[in-house]
Amino acid sequence: MPLRLIFMGTPDFSVPTLLELVSHGHEIVAVYTRAPKPGGRRGLQLQPTPVEEAARKLGVPVLTPKTLKTQEALDEFSAFEADAAVVVAYGMILPQAILDAPKLGCYNLHASLLPRWRGAAPINRAIMAGDAESGVMVMKMDVGLDTGDVAMAERLAITDSMTALDLHDRLSRLGADLMVRAMAALDRGGLQLRKQSEDGVTYAAKIDKAEARIDWTRPARAVLRHIHGLSPFPGAWAELEDARVKILRCELAKGSGAPGEVLDDLLTVACGDGPIRIIELQREGKARMQAADFLRGVPVKPPMRFA
């Protein structure tokens, strides 16, 4: 029998899970998401979240409460009489009363291998830290920050060529499949839970734009992971000829020089230990472009430097 589910999510990352649950026959009785924000060219038009857009196409009721901590919010949530709630990057804290409302509990899809990278930015932090792998986990939620018992996991290797967007997209698809399997196990009473280890706990703090400036004195691989972990947003940046340039994709290269020094006419830049070669970048106020296209308009060669 399909489950009656409340789905709670907001960004693009959440949408594949919603669609997969529907395609596998589960009844989505309501979708909770964040309220629309001003957007458009002049910032005057309210932009619904990706999850709201998907839910409207499915004909599912959409709710955008500012808080879940009131009795009114609890009564509204409970009235759906859901078997469970599925939460994927919702962006709002669920109080204990909400967690207790569905008879089978609330289940979160988290984009890390818990207990590593609890918190807001696990995808970015895993890449920036040089982790060899990441993954997705289904967790039964409690009131802590990603501290609930975990049920199922899928792992994924992180290569040096992966940006945050690359890893985001792969984990989103992997997580959708994992949550469908978890809900099938929950439906038949076979979802097994285990406590998270207290060893290896790390926290993925929200990305601060102040972190985005590139430090060329670091080893080349650390610079590469910093760049890829912040690509495409907010984008790691450096200054070239007093103009800010975001570097969005790069690769390890060969050569040596002072940190930030341009080594050739192919956008190879020296770091503290070895260089990187820039593959994709974006000038301030311009569209992102491949390095070859950039170089046609802005010749870059020694002895120029990235500051």
Side-chain angles (χ1 to χ4, degrees):
M1 293 293 292
L3 293 172
R4 285 177 57 85
L5 299 175
I6 291 173
F7 186 85
M8 311 177 82
T10 295
D12 288 324
F13 184 86
S14 316
V15 173
T17 302
L18 172 61
L19 298 180
E20 280 295 296
L21 290 169
V22 171
S23 71
H24 281 76
H26 295 292
E27 182 185 2
I28 309 299
V29 295
V31 164
Y32 279 67
T33 189
R34 302 304 297 269
K37 292 183 177 180
R41 295 183 64 180
R42 298 184 179 180
L44 301 177
Q45 186 175 357
L46 290 178
Q47 301 290 315
T49 69
V51 165
E52 179 173 351
E53 290 182 337
R56 297 290 184 196
K57 291 177 182 178
L58 294 169
V60 178
V62 175
L63 295 91
T64 59
K66 292 182 179 179
T67 179
L68 295 172
K69 296 180 179 180
T70 65
Q71 185 62 46
E72 180 183 3
L74 175 60
D75 292 343
E76 188 173 43
F77 188 90
S78 301
F80 290 109
E81 298 182 339
D83 297 316
V86 171
V87 183
V88 186
Y90 177 40
M92 187 180 293
I93 294 174
L94 274 59
Q96 188 67 58
I98 292 288
L99 295 174
D100 292 340
K103 63 183 180 182
L104 299 178
C106 298
Y107 295 85
N108 176 243
L109 180 70
H110 187 72
S112 82
L113 299 174
L114 295 166
R116 186 162 177 80
W117 301 128
R118 295 173 178 172
I123 292 174
N124 308 85
R125 296 296 177 190
I127 293 176
M128 293 168 72
D131 289 5
E133 64 176 357
S134 182
V136 281
M137 279 188 158
V138 173
M139 165 186 63
K140 187 173 184 181
M141 298 176 71
D142 60 19
V143 292
L145 178 62
D146 300 324
T147 55
D149 296 347
V150 294
M152 302 172 72
E154 286 285 355
R155 296 174 178 268
L156 180 68
I158 301 177
T159 67
D160 282 342
S161 65
M162 279 186 180
T163 66
L165 180 60
D166 297 332
L167 184 56
H168 166 283
D169 290 350
R170 295 195 52 187
L171 291 180
S172 178
R173 296 190 296 270
L174 195 65
D177 177 71
L178 185 68
M179 184 59 79
V180 165
R181 288 189 277 131
M183 289 300 100
L186 181 67
D187 186 25
R188 62 177 181 265
L191 189 66
Q192 298 181 352
L193 300 170
R194 60 177 174 82
K195 297 286 185 184
Q196 287 188 42
S197 172
E198 291 303 314
D199 297 326
V201 174
T202 57
Y203 290 93
K206 186 177 179 181
I207 299 296
D208 189 321
K209 288 186 178 181
E211 300 177 73
R213 186 163 191 164
I214 297 169
D215 179 358
W216 297 105
T217 66
R218 299 178 70 195
R221 188 167 182 271
V223 172
L224 176 146
R225 285 299 195 106
H226 178 239
I227 289 168
H228 285 177
L230 297 177
S231 177
F233 183 83
W237 62 273
E239 288 182 348
L240 179 66
E241 301 287 284
D242 296 324
R244 182 177 292 197
V245 177
K246 287 185 179 181
I247 302 174
L248 302 175
R249 195 180 292 270
C250 60
E251 63 185 4
L252 297 177
K254 293 182 179 180
S256 62
E261 182 182 352
V262 175
L263 301 182
D264 55 27
D265 57 0
L266 298 175
L267 280 180
T268 303
V269 185
C271 304
D273 177 13
I276 63 163
R277 180 170 293 114
I278 298 170
I279 297 172
E280 189 176 6
L281 66 168
Q282 182 177 15
R283 283 191 289 174
E284 197 166 19
K286 303 292 184 179
R288 56 194 297 170
M289 62 181 68
Q290 297 298 306
D293 297 326
F294 176 83
L295 289 169
R296 277 193 283 270
V298 185
V300 179
K301 55 187 177 181
M304 297 175 72
R305 296 177 62 88
F306 280 87

